[in-house]
Amino acid sequence: MPALSPTMEQGKLARWLVKVGDTVSAGDIMAEIETDKATMEFEAVDEGTIVAIEIAEGTDNVKVGTVIAQLAGEGEDASAPVAKPAAAAAPAPVAAAAPAPVASAPVAAAPVKTGDRVVASPLAKRIAAQKGVDLAGVKGTGPNGRIVKADVEGAQPGAAAPAAAAAPAAAPAPVAAPAPVAAALPDFGIPHEDLPLSTMRKTIARRLTESKQQVPHIYLTVDIRLDALLKLRAELNAALAARKVKLSVNDMLIKALGVALAQVPQCNVAFAGDTLRQYSRADVSVAVSIPNGLITPIITDASGKGLAAISTGMADLAKRAKEGKLAPTEFIGGTASLSNMGMMGIKQFEAVINPPQGMIMAIGAGEKRPWVLEDGSLGVATAMCATGSFDHRAIDGSDGAQLMAAFRELVENPLGLLA
């Protein structure tokens, strides 16, 4: 059982898609595993024959490192399994590349070497050869630092990845004591059904409890007029129609938050005990609802991307998030978050910070309201509420207020998003 997310300690083997005697190739889907983030497809990284399935499907609380299946490779005896190793044995027989939500960023392991050989899956080696990527400089995110497909797909041809000592994408979340177990509910004689929590729901419950208990939240709300942004959106969509790009209000708000974070960098930070990490790039995690939970795919460099690129990128990420096909690098990390419930008719809300990030922006619904116009007369405008939740250990109220003012200015004068 590999660690499919940085916070995963155990998982549920939801379903096997192979049986003993089947031959698999690198990239074949072998099983579905329910992690602390999502139900994820489990890919083979080696060719071979399944000689034993050690963990039956439906088994819950399988600890990371437990052998779940045995695979006989080329030249090995596929007639019988070997003695089952201990749970903490070295690399898991197979590894996966797929998604999950709300997580602190991992520190990628340096490439694993045996002598002068870099340990990588056969599929990763083939992709690297096709792209001209030097595996010696690629960081592996598979079990024990093994290089897998997702690592190579994100690497630049001929370019080595940063040294292992380089700073990770986000500060590590502080280690916290387990959340207290809720007392059993009394039976009041009301007809009911007790449904077991999924691994994802358990993790959401634990992490949100930890965030509210450990992170001192401060909330700042502003009213923002949307008329200029809606007008610009209509004009841009007319111009982009031939390219089959349709901007959403959310796409423009992602850009606005990215630019605001670049303008007020003291809010683009993470608290890490005795240090404060200052980010030089705004990567915006965007909350996307999926069955049984939430995931936050990331728009990297939101301030530097054009609106069309943000729109097409967000549409692709949201689609693959709901299909469970995101790579870990696409949802793990981020420097700040945006959660938009306006399309659900929610007027205003306060979102819970996703540690180790320092802030999250909560967006309410746009609605027609009485509004004092520029000439002092009373008119009607389309407006919304935006509420920033800030980690008060890292961000002062005055800095948070500057970010909210910058965000409002960009939304009300949206030509600044095109500069």
Side-chain angles (χ1 to χ4, degrees):
M1 176 70 78
L4 302 182
S5 77
T7 57
M8 179 178 170
E9 297 177 356
Q10 58 187 22
K12 178 179 179 180
L13 211 160
R15 185 162 69 108
W16 278 109
L17 302 177
V18 295
K19 61 184 183 299
V20 172
D22 285 355
T23 300
V24 297
S25 299
D28 288 352
I29 306 302
M30 297 178 61
E32 293 176 354
I33 293 178
E34 186 178 302
T35 74
D36 56 344
K37 303 301 177 189
T39 298
M40 300 162 62
E41 292 179 337
F42 188 55
E43 290 185 3
V45 296
D46 290 312
E47 293 89 352
T49 302
I50 303 293
V51 296
I53 289 179
E54 304 286 357
I55 302 296
E57 64 179 40
T59 304
D60 204 353
N61 302 322
V62 182
K63 293 187 179 300
V64 168
T66 301
V67 173
I68 59 174
Q70 292 189 36
L71 191 70
E74 183 178 356
E76 296 178 334
D77 182 9
S79 61
V82 299
K84 188 165 104 174
V94 280
V102 190
S104 59
V107 179
V112 175
K113 295 188 178 183
T114 304
D116 295 325
R117 183 173 67 89
V118 175
V119 177
S121 73
L123 181 59
K125 291 177 181 177
R126 284 199 294 271
I127 295 173
Q130 293 167 0
K131 295 182 62 177
V133 172
D134 181 6
L135 287 177
V138 176
K139 295 178 183 177
T141 59
N144 297 293
R146 184 186 185 98
I147 298 170
V148 295
K149 178 178 70 171
D151 304 324
V152 181
E153 289 179 334
Q156 295 299 318
V175 177
V181 178
L185 292 173
D187 186 347
F188 297 106
I190 305 170
H192 67 276
E193 178 184 4
D194 289 335
L195 305 174
L197 292 182
S198 66
T199 305
M200 179 191 291
R201 181 55 56 188
K202 289 177 183 176
T203 301
I204 290 173
R206 175 179 57 81
R207 283 184 56 78
L208 293 185
T209 299
E210 290 173 357
S211 180
K212 290 293 284 186
Q213 287 178 339
Q214 299 173 14
V215 179
H217 287 54
I218 180 174
Y219 305 103
L220 304 175
T221 301
V222 293
D223 289 326
I224 302 177
R225 185 174 176 180
L226 292 172
D227 296 285
L229 183 137
L230 295 175
K231 181 175 182 293
L232 178 62
R233 172 178 174 256
E235 293 172 350
L236 290 173
N237 278 338
L240 292 169
R243 293 162 55 183
K244 297 183 179 180
V245 174
K246 186 174 182 180
L247 303 178
S248 69
V249 170
N250 203 53
D251 297 330
M252 301 179 80
L253 296 179
I254 293 168
K255 173 74 172 182
L257 179 56
V259 175
L261 287 166
Q263 293 178 352
V264 189
Q266 56 268 40
C267 291
N268 197 28
V269 296
F271 181 81
D274 58 355
T275 60
L276 185 68
R277 175 159 295 168
Q278 175 72 66
Y279 296 107
S280 56
R281 188 180 73 192
D283 290 358
V284 177
S285 303
V286 184
V288 173
S289 179
I290 60 174
N292 302 315
L294 183 77
I295 192 167
T296 51
I298 302 166
I299 296 294
T300 59
D301 191 18
S303 64
K305 276 189 171 69
L307 287 170
I310 289 175
S311 179
T312 55
M314 193 64 232
D316 173 62
L317 288 169
K319 177 178 181 293
R320 290 190 292 115
K322 292 174 181 178
E323 294 171 350
K325 294 181 179 179
L326 290 180
T329 53
E330 294 176 309
F331 60 83
I332 297 173
T335 66
S337 292
L338 183 141
S339 179
N340 188 345
M341 296 185 71
M343 65 285 292
M344 302 177 188
I346 301 302
K347 180 176 180 179
Q348 189 264 336
F349 69 105
E350 297 166 347
V352 181
I353 295 170
N354 173 27
Q357 294 178 3
M359 68 85 56
I360 182 170
M361 184 74 75
I363 303 297
E367 58 183 1
K368 296 288 186 181
R369 299 185 195 172
W371 197 269
V372 178
L373 304 177
E374 288 78 0
D375 61 1
S377 63
L378 184 63
V380 176
T382 302
M384 70 175 190
C385 285
T387 300
S389 303
F390 298 90
D391 183 344
H392 216 341
R393 300 171 301 178
I395 301 171
D396 293 333
S398 59
D399 293 330
Q402 287 185 52
L403 181 79
M404 300 304 295
F407 181 75
R408 177 174 56 195
E409 175 68 19
L410 287 161
V411 175
E412 292 187 342
N413 298 281
L415 285 176
L417 302 177
L418 305 179

